[in-house]
Amino acid sequence: MNDSSFNQREFIRKIRLRKRTVLFFQCAILVLFFALWQFCADMGIIDSFIFSSPKEILFCAYSMIFTNSLIFHTFVTSAETVAGFLISTLLGTGIAVILWQSSFLNEIFQPYLVVLNSVPKTALAPIIIVWVGNNINSIIVVALLTSVVVSILNILSAFNETDKNMIKLIYTLGGNKKDVLFKVVLPANIPAVMNTLKVNTGLSFIGTIIGEMLVAKYGLGYLIIYGSQIFRLDMVMMSVIILAILSTVLYKGIVILENKIVSKVM
Amino acid sequence: MEYVFKAENISFSYYTLQGEQNVLKDISFGIKQGEFVSIAGPSGCGKSTMLSIMAGLIKPQNGKTKTKDGLKTGYMLQQDYLFEWRSVFSNALLGAEIKGTITEETKEYAKSLFEKYGLTEFMYKKPSALSGGMRQRAALIRTLVPKPDILLLDEPFSALDYQNRLNVSREISSIIKKENKTAVMVTHDISEAISVSDRVIVFSKIPAVIKNEFEIDMPYDSLRRDNPKFTKYFNEIWKELQ
Ligand SMILES: Nc1ncnc2c1ncn2[C@@H]1O[C@H](COP(=O)(O)OP(=O)(O)OP(=O)(O)O)[C@@H](O)[C@H]1O
Ligand SMILES: [Mg+2]
C-alpha cells in the first residue's frame, strides 16, 4: 500500500463518515419531532383534539387504507399532478417554440405573459371550475394553469439565449429556421426544459390541492377539507404528511430522470 | 487562371437604432481556383462581415458577388461549435443531414476523412473528449464533408493558445492544400497569414477599403517562417496595418 492511495482512502472514508453523520442527525430530528409531539399529546401539554398525535395519525392511516381507500385518494392526487405538470411542460414548450420563431408575435404577447405570470393562479380556480365543470378535468386545468405561464417564460428565455454562433453554423451549412429549431434550439435546451419540469412539479401540486379543495370527491386535498370540516385533525395531518412524501418522491423521480437524460444528451 | 469568386464594388452598412455603421466601402477582389487567400485587417474592420457576404448569409447594399456556377461554400467559424449532444461523427454529418444527402457514400467519405486526419478512434466520442486541436480538425471535417469548392475560414485558430495555434494552423492549412481546395481565411495574425497564404489582402480600418494586396512568393512548406522573405513581407504588411 503506497502513501497516496492510503491518503485517498482516508479522504473517501472521511467524506463517507461525514455523510453518515449528517443523515443520522437528519433522521434524529424527525424521530425527535414526532416523539416530542406524541409525548406532549400523551401528557396533555397540547390538546390532541386540535393537534392530533403521531399515534392517531398512524392509526387513521391504517384504518383508512382498508375502509376509505386511502391509496385511491393518494393515487388520484398524484395522477392529477403528473398530468398537470406534463401537459404544462409540453404546452409551455410548444407555445415557446411558436413565440421563438416569430419575434413579432413574441413582442406582441410579452406584456400579456408578464401580467398573466403575476396573477395568482389560485384566484382563477373558481372561474375554471365554473367553466370546465365540477370534475377532475377542472382540477387538471387548475394544476396546469399554475405552471404553464412560468414554463413559457422560462423556456422562451432559454430558447432566446441559444448561442447565436451555433445558429449561424446551421445557416452556413445551408439550413433554414426549421433546422435551427430541431438541430440546435431544442436539443441545446433540453436541460432548461427538464429544469422547468422540476419547477412545475411543485407548482402543479399547489394547483391540484386547490382544485381538490374546491370541487373534488377524491384526493388528498379533498381529505384535508373534509377532515377539517368534521374536525378529524388526524385525517388532515395524515394527508399533509402523505402529500409531503409524495411531492418528495415525485421531485426525486424527476431529478433522477433529468440526470439520466441530460448526461445522455450533454 | 479562372476566378471562382469575384467581389465587385461591395459596400455594406449595418443599420441600428444607434445609427448607421458603414462597414465595407467599395471592396473588389477575385479568388482564383486553388488559391489560398488571407484577409488581414484591424479588429472590427469588417472581415467577418465580408465572409458572411461571400457565404451568402447577408446581402450587400451595393455591389455584387459573382461566383462560378454551382459553387459550394464551406464556412468555418471562429470556434468549433461542435454540438455536445451529438457524437463527433454525427457532428461531422450535420451539413449532409441538413441538406438531406446522407448516404452510405457520404458516411464513407466522412470516415475516410476521420482516418486521414487521425481521429478515427474518437469518431463515436462526445466532442468534450477531444483536445482543442482535435476539435478544430473535427470542425474542419464537418466543413469538408459537403465537399465545398471554396472554404471560408473566420479566424479558425483564435480559440487556441499560441503553441497549439502554430501546429494546428500548419496542420489545417496543409489539409486544405492536400484537398486542393480554394480557401479564404480571415486573420489578424500577420505571421499566420504569410505562412499559409498565396496572397494577403489588407483591409483598412472601418469603413474598410482594400489598402493593399501582397502576393506571397515563397514555396509552400513548413520552412516559410525561416525564409528571409518572410520578415520582408511581415514588415510590409505590418506597416499597412498601422
Ligand atoms: N449585427 C450587427 N449589427 C450592427 N453592427 C454590427 C453587427 N455585426 C458587426 N457589427 C459592427 O460592424 C463592424 C464590423 O464587424 P465584423 O465582425 O465584420 O468585424 P471583424 O473585422 O470581423 O472584427 P474582429 O476582428 O473583431 O473579428 C464592427 O464595428 C461591429 O461592431
Ligand atoms: Mg470577426
Side-chain angles (χ1 to χ4, degrees), chain A residues 76-77 80-81 121-130 133-144 146 203-223 225:
Chain A
V76 167
T77 300
E80 288 162 346
T81 306
K121 258 61 71 179
T122 48
L124 301 175
I127 307 173
I128 298 301
I129 288 155
V130 172
N134 211 336
N135 53 42
I136 191 167
N137 289 343
S138 64
I139 296 173
I140 295 176
V141 172
V142 174
L144 170 87
T146 49
L203 292 174
S204 193
F205 257 114
I206 298 175
T208 303
I209 297 301
I210 297 283
E212 283 181 350
M213 285 179 164
L214 290 173
V215 292
K217 297 281 165 286
Y218 312 102
L220 297 170
Y222 162 75
L223 286 186
I225 284 292

Short mmCIF file of all heavy atoms in Angstrom, two decimals, chain A residues 76-77 80-81 121-130 133-144 146 203-223 225:
data_model
loop_
_atom_site.label_atom_id
_atom_site.label_comp_id
_atom_site.label_asym_id
_atom_site.label_seq_id
_atom_site.Cartn_x
_atom_site.Cartn_y
_atom_site.Cartn_z
N VAL A 76 -55.16 9.40 -6.94
CA VAL A 76 -55.86 10.45 -7.69
C VAL A 76 -55.04 11.74 -7.67
O VAL A 76 -54.79 12.36 -8.72
CB VAL A 76 -57.28 10.69 -7.11
CG1 VAL A 76 -57.87 11.98 -7.69
CG2 VAL A 76 -58.18 9.52 -7.41
N THR A 77 -54.58 12.13 -6.49
CA THR A 77 -53.79 13.36 -6.39
C THR A 77 -52.52 13.27 -7.23
O THR A 77 -52.18 14.22 -7.96
CB THR A 77 -53.44 13.65 -4.92
OG1 THR A 77 -54.65 13.79 -4.18
CG2 THR A 77 -52.62 14.92 -4.78
N GLU A 80 -53.41 13.49 -10.99
CA GLU A 80 -53.77 14.85 -11.41
C GLU A 80 -52.53 15.74 -11.50
O GLU A 80 -52.36 16.50 -12.46
CB GLU A 80 -54.76 15.46 -10.42
CG GLU A 80 -56.16 14.86 -10.50
CD GLU A 80 -57.00 15.15 -9.26
OE1 GLU A 80 -56.43 15.58 -8.23
OE2 GLU A 80 -58.21 14.94 -9.32
N THR A 81 -51.66 15.59 -10.51
CA THR A 81 -50.46 16.42 -10.51
C THR A 81 -49.55 16.10 -11.69
O THR A 81 -49.09 17.00 -12.41
CB THR A 81 -49.68 16.21 -9.20
OG1 THR A 81 -50.56 16.43 -8.11
CG2 THR A 81 -48.50 17.15 -9.10
N LYS A 121 -52.54 32.41 -9.66
CA LYS A 121 -53.37 31.49 -10.44
C LYS A 121 -54.49 30.86 -9.61
O LYS A 121 -55.53 30.49 -10.13
CB LYS A 121 -52.50 30.40 -11.06
CG LYS A 121 -52.18 30.59 -12.53
CD LYS A 121 -51.41 31.87 -12.84
CE LYS A 121 -49.98 31.78 -12.34
NZ LYS A 121 -49.22 33.01 -12.66
N THR A 122 -54.26 30.77 -8.29
CA THR A 122 -55.29 30.15 -7.45
C THR A 122 -56.57 30.99 -7.47
O THR A 122 -57.65 30.46 -7.27
CB THR A 122 -54.79 30.01 -6.01
OG1 THR A 122 -54.22 31.25 -5.61
CG2 THR A 122 -53.75 28.92 -5.91
N ALA A 123 -56.42 32.29 -7.74
CA ALA A 123 -57.60 33.15 -7.81
C ALA A 123 -58.48 32.77 -9.00
O ALA A 123 -59.67 33.06 -9.02
CB ALA A 123 -57.17 34.61 -7.93
N LEU A 124 -57.87 32.11 -9.99
CA LEU A 124 -58.63 31.73 -11.17
C LEU A 124 -59.36 30.40 -10.99
O LEU A 124 -60.24 30.05 -11.76
CB LEU A 124 -57.70 31.63 -12.38
CG LEU A 124 -56.93 32.90 -12.75
CD1 LEU A 124 -55.96 32.60 -13.88
CD2 LEU A 124 -57.89 34.00 -13.15
N ALA A 125 -58.99 29.66 -9.94
CA ALA A 125 -59.52 28.31 -9.77
C ALA A 125 -61.06 28.27 -9.78
O ALA A 125 -61.64 27.47 -10.52
CB ALA A 125 -58.96 27.68 -8.50
N PRO A 126 -61.75 29.15 -9.00
CA PRO A 126 -63.22 29.09 -9.03
C PRO A 126 -63.80 29.33 -10.42
O PRO A 126 -64.77 28.68 -10.82
CB PRO A 126 -63.62 30.23 -8.08
CG PRO A 126 -62.45 30.43 -7.20
CD PRO A 126 -61.26 30.14 -8.05
N ILE A 127 -63.16 30.24 -11.18
CA ILE A 127 -63.64 30.52 -12.53
C ILE A 127 -63.52 29.27 -13.40
O ILE A 127 -64.42 28.90 -14.14
CB ILE A 127 -62.84 31.68 -13.17
CG1 ILE A 127 -62.85 32.88 -12.23
CG2 ILE A 127 -63.39 32.03 -14.54
CD1 ILE A 127 -61.96 34.00 -12.69
N ILE A 128 -62.34 28.64 -13.30
CA ILE A 128 -62.09 27.43 -14.09
C ILE A 128 -63.15 26.37 -13.78
O ILE A 128 -63.66 25.70 -14.68
CB ILE A 128 -60.68 26.88 -13.79
CG1 ILE A 128 -59.60 27.89 -14.17
CG2 ILE A 128 -60.45 25.56 -14.52
CD1 ILE A 128 -59.61 28.29 -15.62
N ILE A 129 -63.46 26.25 -12.49
CA ILE A 129 -64.42 25.22 -12.10
C ILE A 129 -65.79 25.50 -12.70
O ILE A 129 -66.47 24.59 -13.18
CB ILE A 129 -64.46 25.09 -10.57
CG1 ILE A 129 -63.16 24.41 -10.12
CG2 ILE A 129 -65.66 24.27 -10.12
CD1 ILE A 129 -62.76 24.72 -8.73
N VAL A 130 -66.16 26.77 -12.72
CA VAL A 130 -67.44 27.13 -13.34
C VAL A 130 -67.41 26.80 -14.83
O VAL A 130 -68.35 26.26 -15.40
CB VAL A 130 -67.76 28.62 -13.13
CG1 VAL A 130 -68.99 29.04 -13.94
CG2 VAL A 130 -67.97 28.90 -11.65
N GLY A 133 -66.27 22.70 -15.29
CA GLY A 133 -67.21 21.77 -14.68
C GLY A 133 -66.70 21.20 -13.39
O GLY A 133 -65.50 21.27 -13.08
N ASN A 134 -67.61 20.59 -12.66
CA ASN A 134 -67.30 20.09 -11.33
C ASN A 134 -66.68 18.70 -11.43
O ASN A 134 -67.25 17.72 -10.98
CB ASN A 134 -68.62 20.03 -10.55
CG ASN A 134 -68.37 20.26 -9.08
OD1 ASN A 134 -67.26 20.01 -8.60
ND2 ASN A 134 -69.37 20.73 -8.37
N ASN A 135 -65.50 18.61 -12.05
CA ASN A 135 -64.93 17.27 -12.24
C ASN A 135 -63.40 17.31 -12.26
O ASN A 135 -62.80 18.37 -12.11
CB ASN A 135 -65.45 16.67 -13.55
CG ASN A 135 -65.22 17.62 -14.72
OD1 ASN A 135 -64.15 18.23 -14.83
ND2 ASN A 135 -66.23 17.78 -15.56
N ILE A 136 -62.83 16.16 -12.48
CA ILE A 136 -61.37 16.01 -12.42
C ILE A 136 -60.67 16.87 -13.47
O ILE A 136 -59.56 17.37 -13.25
CB ILE A 136 -60.98 14.52 -12.57
CG1 ILE A 136 -59.49 14.31 -12.23
CG2 ILE A 136 -61.31 14.00 -13.95
CD1 ILE A 136 -59.13 12.86 -12.04
N ASN A 137 -61.33 17.10 -14.61
CA ASN A 137 -60.72 17.91 -15.66
C ASN A 137 -60.38 19.30 -15.17
O ASN A 137 -59.32 19.86 -15.48
CB ASN A 137 -61.65 18.03 -16.86
CG ASN A 137 -61.77 16.73 -17.61
OD1 ASN A 137 -60.92 15.85 -17.41
ND2 ASN A 137 -62.79 16.59 -18.42
N SER A 138 -61.30 19.90 -14.40
CA SER A 138 -61.02 21.26 -13.95
C SER A 138 -59.86 21.28 -12.97
O SER A 138 -59.10 22.25 -12.91
CB SER A 138 -62.28 21.89 -13.35
OG SER A 138 -62.67 21.20 -12.21
N ILE A 139 -59.67 20.19 -12.22
CA ILE A 139 -58.52 20.14 -11.31
C ILE A 139 -57.23 20.13 -12.11
O ILE A 139 -56.27 20.85 -11.81
CB ILE A 139 -58.60 18.90 -10.40
CG1 ILE A 139 -59.85 19.01 -9.52
CG2 ILE A 139 -57.35 18.77 -9.55
CD1 ILE A 139 -60.13 17.78 -8.72
N ILE A 140 -57.22 19.31 -13.16
CA ILE A 140 -56.01 19.25 -14.01
C ILE A 140 -55.76 20.60 -14.66
O ILE A 140 -54.62 21.06 -14.72
CB ILE A 140 -56.14 18.13 -15.07
CG1 ILE A 140 -56.18 16.78 -14.36
CG2 ILE A 140 -54.98 18.18 -16.06
CD1 ILE A 140 -56.39 15.59 -15.26
N VAL A 141 -56.84 21.27 -15.09
CA VAL A 141 -56.66 22.58 -15.72
C VAL A 141 -56.08 23.58 -14.72
O VAL A 141 -55.17 24.35 -15.05
CB VAL A 141 -57.99 23.11 -16.31
CG1 VAL A 141 -57.84 24.54 -16.78
CG2 VAL A 141 -58.45 22.23 -17.45
N VAL A 142 -56.57 23.55 -13.48
CA VAL A 142 -56.03 24.46 -12.47
C VAL A 142 -54.55 24.15 -12.23
O VAL A 142 -53.69 25.05 -12.18
CB VAL A 142 -56.82 24.37 -11.15
CG1 VAL A 142 -56.13 25.20 -10.07
CG2 VAL A 142 -58.24 24.84 -11.35
N ALA A 143 -54.21 22.85 -12.13
CA ALA A 143 -52.82 22.44 -11.92
C ALA A 143 -51.94 22.93 -13.07
O ALA A 143 -50.84 23.45 -12.86
CB ALA A 143 -52.74 20.92 -11.81
N LEU A 144 -52.49 22.78 -14.27
CA LEU A 144 -51.78 23.20 -15.48
C LEU A 144 -51.55 24.71 -15.49
O LEU A 144 -50.47 25.21 -15.80
CB LEU A 144 -52.65 22.78 -16.66
CG LEU A 144 -52.36 23.23 -18.06
CD1 LEU A 144 -51.39 22.25 -18.63
CD2 LEU A 144 -53.61 23.21 -18.90
N THR A 146 -51.38 26.83 -13.05
CA THR A 146 -50.43 27.39 -12.08
C THR A 146 -49.02 27.44 -12.65
O THR A 146 -48.22 28.26 -12.24
CB THR A 146 -50.40 26.57 -10.79
OG1 THR A 146 -50.25 25.21 -11.13
CG2 THR A 146 -51.63 26.77 -9.96
N LEU A 203 -45.34 23.48 -8.45
CA LEU A 203 -46.47 24.37 -8.76
C LEU A 203 -47.73 23.56 -9.04
O LEU A 203 -48.83 23.91 -8.62
CB LEU A 203 -46.13 25.23 -9.98
CG LEU A 203 -45.04 26.27 -9.75
CD1 LEU A 203 -44.67 26.95 -11.05
CD2 LEU A 203 -45.49 27.29 -8.72
N SER A 204 -47.55 22.47 -9.76
CA SER A 204 -48.67 21.64 -10.14
C SER A 204 -49.35 21.05 -8.90
O SER A 204 -50.58 20.92 -8.85
CB SER A 204 -48.16 20.53 -11.05
OG SER A 204 -49.20 19.89 -11.67
N PHE A 205 -48.57 20.71 -7.88
CA PHE A 205 -49.14 20.23 -6.62
C PHE A 205 -50.05 21.27 -6.00
O PHE A 205 -51.15 20.97 -5.53
CB PHE A 205 -48.04 19.86 -5.62
CG PHE A 205 -47.84 18.38 -5.51
CD1 PHE A 205 -46.66 17.79 -5.94
CD2 PHE A 205 -48.84 17.58 -4.99
CE1 PHE A 205 -46.50 16.43 -5.85
CE2 PHE A 205 -48.67 16.22 -4.89
CZ PHE A 205 -47.49 15.63 -5.33
N ILE A 206 -49.59 22.51 -5.99
CA ILE A 206 -50.40 23.59 -5.42
C ILE A 206 -51.74 23.66 -6.14
O ILE A 206 -52.80 23.66 -5.52
CB ILE A 206 -49.66 24.95 -5.55
CG1 ILE A 206 -48.37 24.91 -4.75
CG2 ILE A 206 -50.56 26.09 -5.08
CD1 ILE A 206 -47.51 26.15 -4.90
N GLY A 207 -51.68 23.67 -7.49
CA GLY A 207 -52.91 23.75 -8.28
C GLY A 207 -53.84 22.59 -8.00
O GLY A 207 -55.05 22.77 -7.82
N THR A 208 -53.28 21.38 -7.95
CA THR A 208 -54.10 20.20 -7.71
C THR A 208 -54.82 20.28 -6.37
O THR A 208 -56.03 20.04 -6.28
CB THR A 208 -53.22 18.93 -7.73
OG1 THR A 208 -52.54 18.87 -8.97
CG2 THR A 208 -54.05 17.69 -7.56
N ILE A 209 -54.09 20.65 -5.33
CA ILE A 209 -54.69 20.69 -3.99
C ILE A 209 -55.79 21.76 -3.93
O ILE A 209 -56.88 21.51 -3.41
CB ILE A 209 -53.61 20.93 -2.92
CG1 ILE A 209 -52.61 19.76 -2.91
CG2 ILE A 209 -54.23 21.12 -1.56
CD1 ILE A 209 -53.24 18.41 -2.62
N ILE A 210 -55.50 22.93 -4.51
CA ILE A 210 -56.53 23.98 -4.54
C ILE A 210 -57.78 23.47 -5.24
O ILE A 210 -58.91 23.61 -4.75
CB ILE A 210 -56.01 25.24 -5.28
CG1 ILE A 210 -54.82 25.85 -4.57
CG2 ILE A 210 -57.13 26.26 -5.48
CD1 ILE A 210 -55.19 26.65 -3.35
N GLY A 211 -57.58 22.85 -6.39
CA GLY A 211 -58.69 22.32 -7.17
C GLY A 211 -59.48 21.29 -6.36
O GLY A 211 -60.70 21.34 -6.30
N GLU A 212 -58.75 20.39 -5.74
CA GLU A 212 -59.41 19.34 -4.97
C GLU A 212 -60.18 19.91 -3.79
O GLU A 212 -61.24 19.43 -3.41
CB GLU A 212 -58.38 18.33 -4.46
CG GLU A 212 -57.91 17.37 -5.54
CD GLU A 212 -56.89 16.37 -5.03
OE1 GLU A 212 -56.41 16.53 -3.89
OE2 GLU A 212 -56.59 15.43 -5.78
N MET A 213 -59.62 20.93 -3.19
CA MET A 213 -60.29 21.54 -2.05
C MET A 213 -61.62 22.16 -2.48
O MET A 213 -62.58 22.21 -1.72
CB MET A 213 -59.41 22.63 -1.44
CG MET A 213 -58.26 22.06 -0.62
SD MET A 213 -57.25 23.39 0.03
CE MET A 213 -56.35 22.48 1.28
N LEU A 214 -61.66 22.61 -3.74
CA LEU A 214 -62.87 23.29 -4.20
C LEU A 214 -63.94 22.34 -4.71
O LEU A 214 -65.12 22.54 -4.47
CB LEU A 214 -62.52 24.31 -5.28
CG LEU A 214 -61.75 25.53 -4.78
CD1 LEU A 214 -61.29 26.38 -5.95
CD2 LEU A 214 -62.59 26.35 -3.82
N VAL A 215 -63.53 21.31 -5.46
CA VAL A 215 -64.57 20.50 -6.10
C VAL A 215 -64.55 19.01 -5.80
O VAL A 215 -65.59 18.36 -5.91
CB VAL A 215 -64.51 20.62 -7.65
CG1 VAL A 215 -64.89 22.00 -8.09
CG2 VAL A 215 -63.16 20.20 -8.16
N ALA A 216 -63.41 18.46 -5.42
CA ALA A 216 -63.27 17.02 -5.58
C ALA A 216 -64.05 16.19 -4.58
O ALA A 216 -64.46 16.66 -3.51
CB ALA A 216 -61.79 16.66 -5.50
N LYS A 217 -64.23 14.94 -4.96
CA LYS A 217 -64.78 13.94 -4.06
C LYS A 217 -63.67 12.98 -3.66
O LYS A 217 -63.86 12.10 -2.83
CB LYS A 217 -65.91 13.16 -4.76
CG LYS A 217 -67.10 14.02 -5.14
CD LYS A 217 -68.00 14.28 -3.93
CE LYS A 217 -68.98 15.40 -4.21
NZ LYS A 217 -68.31 16.74 -4.22
N TYR A 218 -62.52 13.08 -4.33
CA TYR A 218 -61.38 12.22 -4.04
C TYR A 218 -60.12 13.06 -3.97
O TYR A 218 -60.09 14.20 -4.42
CB TYR A 218 -61.20 11.16 -5.14
CG TYR A 218 -62.47 10.46 -5.51
CD1 TYR A 218 -63.15 10.81 -6.66
CD2 TYR A 218 -63.00 9.47 -4.68
CE1 TYR A 218 -64.32 10.18 -7.01
CE2 TYR A 218 -64.17 8.83 -5.01
CZ TYR A 218 -64.85 9.18 -6.17
OH TYR A 218 -66.01 8.58 -6.51
N GLY A 219 -59.08 12.46 -3.46
CA GLY A 219 -57.78 13.11 -3.45
C GLY A 219 -57.44 13.66 -2.08
O GLY A 219 -58.30 13.80 -1.21
N LEU A 220 -56.15 13.94 -1.90
CA LEU A 220 -55.67 14.38 -0.59
C LEU A 220 -56.21 15.77 -0.24
O LEU A 220 -56.49 16.05 0.93
CB LEU A 220 -54.14 14.38 -0.58
CG LEU A 220 -53.52 12.98 -0.77
CD1 LEU A 220 -52.01 13.09 -0.99
CD2 LEU A 220 -53.82 12.09 0.42
N GLY A 221 -56.37 16.63 -1.24
CA GLY A 221 -56.92 17.96 -1.00
C GLY A 221 -58.35 17.85 -0.45
O GLY A 221 -58.75 18.56 0.48
N TYR A 222 -59.09 16.90 -1.03
CA TYR A 222 -60.45 16.64 -0.55
C TYR A 222 -60.40 16.15 0.90
O TYR A 222 -61.17 16.62 1.75
CB TYR A 222 -61.12 15.62 -1.45
CG TYR A 222 -62.32 14.95 -0.83
CD1 TYR A 222 -63.53 15.64 -0.70
CD2 TYR A 222 -62.24 13.65 -0.33
CE1 TYR A 222 -64.62 15.04 -0.10
CE2 TYR A 222 -63.33 13.05 0.27
CZ TYR A 222 -64.52 13.75 0.38
OH TYR A 222 -65.59 13.16 0.98
N LEU A 223 -59.49 15.22 1.20
CA LEU A 223 -59.38 14.68 2.56
C LEU A 223 -59.07 15.78 3.56
O LEU A 223 -59.58 15.79 4.69
CB LEU A 223 -58.31 13.59 2.64
CG LEU A 223 -58.64 12.23 2.02
CD1 LEU A 223 -57.53 11.23 2.31
CD2 LEU A 223 -59.98 11.71 2.56
N ILE A 225 -59.81 19.03 3.35
CA ILE A 225 -61.00 19.86 3.59
C ILE A 225 -62.06 19.08 4.37
O ILE A 225 -62.60 19.56 5.37
CB ILE A 225 -61.60 20.31 2.22
CG1 ILE A 225 -60.75 21.43 1.64
CG2 ILE A 225 -63.04 20.76 2.35
CD1 ILE A 225 -60.82 22.73 2.43
#
